[in-house]
Amino acid sequence: MSRKSAWAVVKNAFVWCISLVVVAPLVLIVINSLKDASQASSMGMDLPKALHFDNFSTVIEKGKLYNSLWNSVLYAGASTILCVVLAAMAAYVYSRRRSKWNKFSYMFILLGLAMPLNYFTLMKTMQMLHLVNSQLGIIILYAAVQIPFSVFILYGFVGGVPKELDEAGTIDGCGPNRLFFSIIFPLLKPSIVTVFILAFLNSWNEFTMPLYFLNSASQWPMTLSVYNFFGQFQMSWNLVSADIVLTSLPVVVLYLIGQRFIIDGMTAGSVKG
């Protein structure tokens, strides 16, 4: 075996070990979500003696997941769409018009990647705007937190779109809005899908903001419902595992669908190139 082949084997083995470390907790949760309470109490990797799919119906009923699922979809979906549209528009302007003010504004937005959130001042601001315990307030907060990273990602992709397309669109009579949404935005499909997935994942998994800014249990997303459910059924690990599976499933499905869109978009781009 050559040195190059041996190094490839070592790298593959390392990647497989990392993958097992990441996948093992997911497999553990899925397996225990199908056990009864007594078998799941040890949280082991042994297979269930019988498949208890009724754990999921019990969790949905007792955890009132229908309402929290809708809240999570609303918060994550609306905030992600708002974030993607605003970030794409901002990235386009910053990439095309590189004035001193735009450079300063771009760097100011990127400070959001490094600056920690000050919840004291944020709470005061939310109270002044009457957005505490408000679904609109949570959507705006989620979007605002995700915008700096989204602008950073999309800025580089917009720079790869030829400026000649802007000139051709303007000659054909496109206004600024039509030029962006009809010509530029569709060309950013792989990056848009990537940003959408990352923003949706972060918003779906957010725990601290709804804990601080939502006082009503009827407005809680699934992350808070899981926390509350764990407090009530912490001895029933089968139900807790089923709750975690149901909470994670929509994100996994979205990730798989998004990956397909990214691959199709990159393949189409390479074919056109």
CSV table of all heavy atoms in Angstrom, one decimal, residues 110-145:
chain,number,residue,atom,x,y,z
A,110,LEU,N,-21.9,43.2,10.4
A,110,LEU,CA,-21.1,42.0,10.7
A,110,LEU,C,-20.6,42.0,12.2
A,110,LEU,O,-20.2,41.0,12.7
A,110,LEU,CB,-19.8,42.0,9.8
A,110,LEU,CG,-20.1,41.7,8.3
A,110,LEU,CD1,-18.8,41.4,7.6
A,110,LEU,CD2,-21.0,40.5,8.1
A,111,LEU,N,-20.7,43.2,12.9
A,111,LEU,CA,-20.4,43.2,14.3
A,111,LEU,C,-21.4,42.2,15.1
A,111,LEU,O,-21.1,41.8,16.1
A,111,LEU,CB,-20.5,44.6,14.9
A,111,LEU,CG,-19.3,45.5,14.7
A,111,LEU,CD1,-19.7,46.9,15.2
A,111,LEU,CD2,-18.1,44.9,15.3
A,112,GLY,N,-22.6,42.0,14.5
A,112,GLY,CA,-23.5,41.1,15.1
A,112,GLY,C,-23.1,39.7,15.2
A,112,GLY,O,-23.6,38.9,16.0
A,113,LEU,N,-22.0,39.3,14.4
A,113,LEU,CA,-21.5,38.0,14.5
A,113,LEU,C,-20.6,37.8,15.8
A,113,LEU,O,-20.5,36.7,16.3
A,113,LEU,CB,-20.6,37.7,13.3
A,113,LEU,CG,-21.3,37.6,11.9
A,113,LEU,CD1,-20.3,37.5,10.8
A,113,LEU,CD2,-22.2,36.4,11.9
A,114,ALA,N,-20.1,38.9,16.3
A,114,ALA,CA,-19.1,38.8,17.4
A,114,ALA,C,-19.7,39.4,18.7
A,114,ALA,O,-19.4,39.0,19.8
A,114,ALA,CB,-17.8,39.6,17.1
A,115,MET,N,-20.6,40.4,18.6
A,115,MET,CA,-21.1,41.1,19.8
A,115,MET,C,-22.2,40.2,20.5
A,115,MET,O,-23.1,39.7,19.8
A,115,MET,CB,-21.8,42.4,19.4
A,115,MET,CG,-20.8,43.4,18.8
A,115,MET,SD,-19.5,44.0,20.0
A,115,MET,CE,-20.6,44.9,21.1
A,116,PRO,N,-22.0,40.0,21.8
A,116,PRO,CA,-23.1,39.2,22.5
A,116,PRO,C,-24.3,40.0,22.7
A,116,PRO,O,-24.3,41.2,22.7
A,116,PRO,CB,-22.4,38.9,23.8
A,116,PRO,CG,-21.4,40.0,24.0
A,116,PRO,CD,-20.9,40.4,22.7
A,117,LEU,N,-25.4,39.3,22.9
A,117,LEU,CA,-26.7,40.0,23.1
A,117,LEU,C,-26.8,40.5,24.5
A,117,LEU,O,-26.4,39.7,25.5
A,117,LEU,CB,-27.9,39.0,22.8
A,117,LEU,CG,-28.2,38.7,21.4
A,117,LEU,CD1,-29.3,37.7,21.3
A,117,LEU,CD2,-28.7,40.0,20.7
A,118,ASN,N,-27.2,41.7,24.7
A,118,ASN,CA,-27.5,42.2,26.0
A,118,ASN,C,-29.0,42.2,26.3
A,118,ASN,O,-29.7,43.0,25.8
A,118,ASN,CB,-27.0,43.7,26.1
A,118,ASN,CG,-27.0,44.2,27.5
A,118,ASN,OD1,-27.9,44.0,28.3
A,118,ASN,ND2,-26.0,45.0,27.8
A,119,TYR,N,-29.4,41.2,27.1
A,119,TYR,CA,-30.8,40.9,27.3
A,119,TYR,C,-31.5,42.0,28.1
A,119,TYR,O,-32.7,42.2,28.0
A,119,TYR,CB,-31.0,39.5,27.9
A,119,TYR,CG,-30.9,38.4,26.9
A,119,TYR,CD1,-29.7,37.7,26.8
A,119,TYR,CD2,-31.9,38.0,26.1
A,119,TYR,CE1,-29.5,36.7,25.8
A,119,TYR,CE2,-31.8,37.0,25.2
A,119,TYR,CZ,-30.6,36.4,25.0
A,119,TYR,OH,-30.5,35.4,24.1
A,120,PHE,N,-30.7,42.7,28.9
A,120,PHE,CA,-31.3,43.8,29.7
A,120,PHE,C,-31.8,44.9,28.8
A,120,PHE,O,-32.9,45.3,28.9
A,120,PHE,CB,-30.3,44.3,30.7
A,120,PHE,CG,-30.8,45.5,31.5
A,120,PHE,CD1,-31.7,45.3,32.6
A,120,PHE,CD2,-30.3,46.8,31.2
A,120,PHE,CE1,-32.1,46.4,33.3
A,120,PHE,CE2,-30.8,47.9,32.0
A,120,PHE,CZ,-31.7,47.7,33.0
A,121,THR,N,-30.9,45.4,28.0
A,121,THR,CA,-31.3,46.5,27.1
A,121,THR,C,-32.3,46.0,26.0
A,121,THR,O,-33.2,46.8,25.6
A,121,THR,CB,-30.1,47.1,26.3
A,121,THR,OG1,-29.3,46.0,25.7
A,121,THR,CG2,-29.1,47.8,27.3
A,122,LEU,N,-32.1,44.8,25.6
A,122,LEU,CA,-33.1,44.2,24.6
A,122,LEU,C,-34.5,44.1,25.2
A,122,LEU,O,-35.5,44.4,24.6
A,122,LEU,CB,-32.6,42.8,24.2
A,122,LEU,CG,-33.4,42.1,23.1
A,122,LEU,CD1,-33.4,43.0,21.8
A,122,LEU,CD2,-32.8,40.8,22.7
A,123,MET,N,-34.6,43.7,26.5
A,123,MET,CA,-35.9,43.7,27.2
A,123,MET,C,-36.5,45.1,27.2
A,123,MET,O,-37.7,45.2,27.0
A,123,MET,CB,-35.7,43.1,28.6
A,123,MET,CG,-37.0,43.0,29.4
A,123,MET,SD,-38.3,42.0,28.7
A,123,MET,CE,-37.6,40.4,29.1
A,124,LYS,N,-35.7,46.1,27.6
A,124,LYS,CA,-36.2,47.4,27.7
A,124,LYS,C,-36.7,47.9,26.3
A,124,LYS,O,-37.8,48.5,26.2
A,124,LYS,CB,-35.1,48.4,28.1
A,124,LYS,CG,-34.7,48.2,29.6
A,124,LYS,CD,-35.9,48.6,30.5
A,124,LYS,CE,-35.5,48.5,32.0
A,124,LYS,NZ,-36.7,48.8,32.9
A,125,THR,N,-36.0,47.6,25.2
A,125,THR,CA,-36.4,47.9,23.9
A,125,THR,C,-37.7,47.3,23.5
A,125,THR,O,-38.6,47.9,22.9
A,125,THR,CB,-35.3,47.6,22.9
A,125,THR,OG1,-34.1,48.2,23.2
A,125,THR,CG2,-35.7,48.0,21.5
A,126,MET,N,-37.8,46.0,23.8
A,126,MET,CA,-39.0,45.2,23.5
A,126,MET,C,-40.2,45.8,24.3
A,126,MET,O,-41.3,45.8,23.8
A,126,MET,CB,-38.8,43.7,23.8
A,126,MET,CG,-37.7,43.1,23.0
A,126,MET,SD,-38.3,42.8,21.3
A,126,MET,CE,-39.4,41.4,21.6
A,127,GLN,N,-40.0,46.2,25.5
A,127,GLN,CA,-41.1,46.7,26.3
A,127,GLN,C,-41.5,48.1,25.8
A,127,GLN,O,-42.7,48.3,25.7
A,127,GLN,CB,-40.6,46.9,27.8
A,127,GLN,CG,-40.5,45.6,28.5
A,127,GLN,CD,-39.9,45.8,29.9
A,127,GLN,OE1,-39.4,46.8,30.3
A,127,GLN,NE2,-40.0,44.7,30.7
A,128,MET,N,-40.6,48.9,25.3
A,128,MET,CA,-40.9,50.2,24.7
A,128,MET,C,-41.7,50.0,23.4
A,128,MET,O,-42.6,50.8,23.1
A,128,MET,CB,-39.7,51.0,24.4
A,128,MET,CG,-38.9,51.5,25.7
A,128,MET,SD,-37.3,52.3,25.2
A,128,MET,CE,-37.9,53.6,24.1
A,129,LEU,N,-41.4,49.0,22.7
A,129,LEU,CA,-42.1,48.7,21.4
A,129,LEU,C,-43.4,47.8,21.6
A,129,LEU,O,-44.0,47.5,20.6
A,129,LEU,CB,-41.2,48.0,20.4
A,129,LEU,CG,-40.0,48.9,20.0
A,129,LEU,CD1,-39.0,48.1,19.1
A,129,LEU,CD2,-40.4,50.2,19.3
A,130,HIS,N,-43.7,47.5,22.8
A,130,HIS,CA,-44.8,46.6,23.2
A,130,HIS,C,-44.8,45.3,22.4
A,130,HIS,O,-45.8,44.8,21.9
A,130,HIS,CB,-46.1,47.3,22.9
A,130,HIS,CG,-46.3,48.7,23.6
A,130,HIS,ND1,-46.5,48.7,24.9
A,130,HIS,CD2,-46.2,49.9,23.1
A,130,HIS,CE1,-46.6,50.0,25.3
A,130,HIS,NE2,-46.4,50.8,24.2
A,131,LEU,N,-43.6,44.7,22.4
A,131,LEU,CA,-43.4,43.4,21.7
A,131,LEU,C,-43.1,42.2,22.6
A,131,LEU,O,-42.9,41.1,22.1
A,131,LEU,CB,-42.2,43.5,20.6
A,131,LEU,CG,-42.5,44.5,19.5
A,131,LEU,CD1,-41.2,44.6,18.6
A,131,LEU,CD2,-43.7,44.0,18.6
A,132,VAL,N,-43.1,42.5,23.9
A,132,VAL,CA,-42.9,41.4,24.9
A,132,VAL,C,-44.2,40.5,24.9
A,132,VAL,O,-45.3,41.0,24.8
A,132,VAL,CB,-42.6,41.9,26.3
A,132,VAL,CG1,-42.5,40.8,27.3
A,132,VAL,CG2,-41.3,42.7,26.2
A,133,ASN,N,-44.0,39.2,25.0
A,133,ASN,CA,-45.1,38.3,24.9
A,133,ASN,C,-45.9,38.4,23.7
A,133,ASN,O,-47.1,38.4,23.7
A,133,ASN,CB,-46.0,38.5,26.2
A,133,ASN,CG,-46.8,37.2,26.5
A,133,ASN,OD1,-46.3,36.1,26.2
A,133,ASN,ND2,-48.0,37.4,27.0
A,134,SER,N,-45.2,38.6,22.6
A,134,SER,CA,-45.8,38.8,21.3
A,134,SER,C,-45.2,37.9,20.2
A,134,SER,O,-43.9,37.8,20.2
A,134,SER,CB,-45.7,40.3,20.8
A,134,SER,OG,-45.9,40.5,19.5
A,135,GLN,N,-46.0,37.3,19.4
A,135,GLN,CA,-45.4,36.4,18.3
A,135,GLN,C,-44.7,37.3,17.3
A,135,GLN,O,-43.6,36.8,16.8
A,135,GLN,CB,-46.6,35.7,17.7
A,135,GLN,CG,-47.2,34.6,18.6
A,135,GLN,CD,-48.3,33.9,17.9
A,135,GLN,OE1,-49.1,34.4,17.1
A,135,GLN,NE2,-48.5,32.6,18.2
A,136,LEU,N,-45.2,38.5,17.0
A,136,LEU,CA,-44.5,39.3,16.1
A,136,LEU,C,-43.1,39.7,16.7
A,136,LEU,O,-42.1,39.8,15.9
A,136,LEU,CB,-45.3,40.6,15.8
A,136,LEU,CG,-44.6,41.7,15.0
A,136,LEU,CD1,-44.4,41.1,13.6
A,136,LEU,CD2,-45.5,42.9,14.9
A,137,GLY,N,-43.0,40.0,18.0
A,137,GLY,CA,-41.7,40.3,18.6
A,137,GLY,C,-40.7,39.2,18.4
A,137,GLY,O,-39.5,39.4,18.1
A,138,ILE,N,-41.1,38.0,18.7
A,138,ILE,CA,-40.2,36.8,18.5
A,138,ILE,C,-39.7,36.6,17.1
A,138,ILE,O,-38.6,36.4,16.8
A,138,ILE,CB,-40.9,35.5,19.1
A,138,ILE,CG1,-41.0,35.6,20.6
A,138,ILE,CG2,-40.1,34.3,18.7
A,138,ILE,CD1,-39.7,35.6,21.3
A,139,ILE,N,-40.6,36.8,16.1
A,139,ILE,CA,-40.3,36.7,14.7
A,139,ILE,C,-39.2,37.7,14.4
A,139,ILE,O,-38.2,37.4,13.7
A,139,ILE,CB,-41.5,36.8,13.8
A,139,ILE,CG1,-42.4,35.6,14.0
A,139,ILE,CG2,-41.1,37.0,12.4
A,139,ILE,CD1,-43.8,35.7,13.3
A,140,ILE,N,-39.4,39.0,14.8
A,140,ILE,CA,-38.5,40.1,14.5
A,140,ILE,C,-37.1,39.8,15.2
A,140,ILE,O,-36.1,40.0,14.6
A,140,ILE,CB,-39.0,41.4,15.0
A,140,ILE,CG1,-40.3,41.8,14.1
A,140,ILE,CG2,-38.0,42.5,14.9
A,140,ILE,CD1,-40.9,43.1,14.6
A,141,LEU,N,-37.1,39.3,16.4
A,141,LEU,CA,-35.9,39.0,17.1
A,141,LEU,C,-35.1,37.9,16.4
A,141,LEU,O,-33.9,38.0,16.2
A,141,LEU,CB,-36.2,38.6,18.6
A,141,LEU,CG,-36.5,39.7,19.6
A,141,LEU,CD1,-36.8,39.1,20.9
A,141,LEU,CD2,-35.2,40.6,19.7
A,142,TYR,N,-35.8,36.8,16.1
A,142,TYR,CA,-35.2,35.7,15.4
A,142,TYR,C,-34.5,36.2,14.1
A,142,TYR,O,-33.4,35.8,13.8
A,142,TYR,CB,-36.2,34.6,15.0
A,142,TYR,CG,-36.6,33.7,16.2
A,142,TYR,CD1,-36.1,33.9,17.5
A,142,TYR,CD2,-37.4,32.6,16.0
A,142,TYR,CE1,-36.4,33.1,18.5
A,142,TYR,CE2,-37.8,31.8,17.0
A,142,TYR,CZ,-37.3,32.0,18.3
A,142,TYR,OH,-37.6,31.2,19.3
A,143,ALA,N,-35.3,37.0,13.3
A,143,ALA,CA,-34.7,37.4,12.0
A,143,ALA,C,-33.5,38.3,12.2
A,143,ALA,O,-32.5,38.2,11.5
A,143,ALA,CB,-35.8,38.2,11.3
A,144,ALA,N,-33.6,39.2,13.2
A,144,ALA,CA,-32.5,40.2,13.5
A,144,ALA,C,-31.2,39.4,13.9
A,144,ALA,O,-30.1,39.8,13.5
A,144,ALA,CB,-32.9,41.2,14.6
A,145,VAL,N,-31.4,38.4,14.7
A,145,VAL,CA,-30.2,37.7,15.1
A,145,VAL,C,-29.5,36.9,14.0
A,145,VAL,O,-28.3,36.8,13.9
A,145,VAL,CB,-30.6,36.7,16.2
A,145,VAL,CG1,-29.5,35.7,16.5
A,145,VAL,CG2,-31.0,37.4,17.5
